[in-house]
Amino acid sequence: IEHNMKKIQSLQGFRALGFICVFLWHCGKGNAGTYAVSLFVMLSGFLLMFRDSGGVEERRQTLACSVKSAMHKIWKLYPLHIMMFISAYVYYEFISKQLSHVHIIVRSLSNVLLLQSCIPFAEFWYYSFNGPSWYLSLTFFLYCAFPYIKARIKKSNPITMSFFLYLGMIVYCVIASKLQIPAAVKKWLVYISPIFRCFDFAIGCCAGMIVKRGGMDRKKANGAGIMFLILSMISISIFAAFRSNQKSMAFIYSLIYVPAIFTGLLSLGSNQGFLSKIFSVRVFARLGDISGYAFLIHGMAMCYVSAAVSKINWNVLRRADVKNVTAFIVTILLALLYEYLIKKYTNCKVGRLAK
């Protein structure tokens, strides 16, 4: 495929949609926050498989090589993660004064070592400092698992493999729904656990393999695009209807979104059809370029904007929608600044190597 190794603009637009859904979710708007997490997980798998060139990596799949490769993939995000970790500590210690010192060492270590997603207790992962950073922890473990997942998929039919992986997710969720455990731990099992997330990550890899092998023409891409829209609306509606039902938790946090996102990846990954045109809009694709940075920044941006506004005696600024818009603007500006600094550093490094 001619565009195999190039950035597909429509997929960047897809990433932007995910960020917008997460931001609105954290603003208390809409019901698509969990949908966006599944989108990010499957999109990561898709892109890794789609861009994979094999070569040397095919012949050496040791754990050390996998960890080194995963660190290389997230190196641009890790410094930002540490910055947000420090800003979160300052905020919770000195501004909101909500930081409990009982588990502060464990929380700090889990953040620095990117272990948040491996610990099934809310106070250690989701509520430890910069909340959204648990996803970077998850991403690191998925990247470590990628060489092994890739090797298995390349020996199989990706369509058949997708079916059995989804069947595995269903069985996993049924078992999780039967467990008599705290709600926070159950949520970890079906939403955050790297083991569980390997399923939809691998399904994303299968979608990448299908498109990479040239399995999508314009007609199929349009059909997949229509299915994506229909299934997305159905799955998000199901979440909205059952989000307060604890018994349905095991099924609505990720399982229901997989078919919709799978069809969306097939349509957008082919870079053909009406859906690709929609998501390739320049502004949307540009937001997708910085969405990784914005994702890590937005939580603390919302906290600091809210704290700053509370000190101002002007009722208009205290309105929730005004605070949310302000936080969004601050997030985008900081993400653009960080992107500029990373590019500057990269260019300087390349320049020194050239000498």
Side-chain angles (χ1 to χ4, degrees), residues 27-47:
C27 290
K29 309 287 185 182
N31 295 288
T34 52
Y35 171 90
V37 172
S38 293
L39 187 160
F40 289 140
V41 169
M42 294 180 66
L43 179 58
S44 293
F46 179 96
L47 290 172

Side-chain angles (χ1 to χ4, degrees), residues 7-16 51 279 284-285 288-289:
K7 183 182 292 184
I8 302 176
Q9 291 295 94
S10 56
L11 288 178
Q12 290 301 96
F14 204 28
R15 198 192 300 272
R51 294 171 176 169
F279 281 98
F284 215 41
D289 291 339

Side-chain angles (χ1 to χ4, degrees), residues 107-333:
R107 293 177 181 180
S108 298
L109 284 174
S110 68
N111 271 266
V112 172
L113 299 176
L114 294 177
L115 296 174
Q116 308 98 299
S117 64
C118 297
I119 306 174
F121 301 103
E123 64 267 25
F124 288 139
W125 50 263
Y126 193 82
Y127 295 113
S128 66
F129 300 105
N130 183 31
S133 67
W134 71 263
Y135 183 78
L136 182 62
S137 167
L138 171 65
T139 301
F140 172 71
F141 284 99
L142 293 177
Y143 285 172
C144 287
F146 174 67
Y148 307 98
I149 293 172
K150 175 187 70 174
R152 187 70 187 89
I153 291 174
K154 285 191 172 183
K155 296 176 182 178
S156 310
N157 182 312
I159 297 176
T160 305
M161 177 65 77
S162 299
F163 172 79
F164 282 106
L165 285 167
Y166 193 56
L167 188 61
M169 288 185 76
I170 294 172
V171 172
Y172 180 106
C173 290
V174 169
I175 294 172
S177 69
K178 303 295 183 183
L179 298 177
Q180 300 299 315
I181 54 178
V185 177
K186 185 173 289 189
K187 182 179 178 181
W188 174 82
L189 277 174
V190 299
Y191 185 55
I192 294 192
S193 166
I195 294 175
F196 175 66
R197 283 299 184 178
C198 275
F199 283 100
D200 48 351
F201 176 77
I203 293 173
C205 291
C206 289
M209 180 60 75
I210 292 169
V211 175
K212 188 173 183 177
R213 290 177 177 174
M216 297 296 293
D217 55 25
R218 182 176 294 275
K219 186 176 180 180
K220 290 179 180 178
N222 282 326
I226 294 171
M227 287 299 298
F228 162 73
L229 295 175
I230 295 172
L231 293 172
S232 293
M233 288 187 288
I234 291 173
S235 59
I236 293 172
S237 298
I238 291 173
F239 179 84
F242 292 96
R243 63 180 294 186
S244 59
N245 186 336
Q246 290 294 319
K247 293 182 179 180
S248 63
M249 177 189 291
F251 305 99
I252 65 172
Y253 272 87
S254 56
L255 183 69
I256 58 175
Y257 305 125
V258 173
I261 298 168
F262 184 77
T263 55
L265 289 173
L266 292 179
S267 179
L268 294 171
S270 67
N271 214 21
Q272 302 180 76
F274 74 95
L275 203 62
S276 288
K277 291 182 179 179
I278 295 172
F279 281 98
S280 295
V281 174
R282 188 176 179 83
V283 174
F284 215 41
R286 186 69 184 98
L287 177 58
D289 291 339
I290 60 170
S291 61
Y293 307 141
F295 182 84
L296 286 176
I297 292 169
H298 81 278
M300 294 318 303
M302 294 173 76
C303 289
Y304 275 99
V305 166
S306 181
V309 167
S310 66
K311 304 292 184 182
I312 302 173
N313 190 22
W314 192 4
N315 291 333
V316 174
L317 289 177
R318 294 185 177 183
R319 289 176 52 184
D321 53 349
V322 175
K323 287 194 292 185
N324 292 336
V325 170
T326 304
F328 184 81
I329 293 172
V330 170
T331 297
I332 298 304
L333 291 176

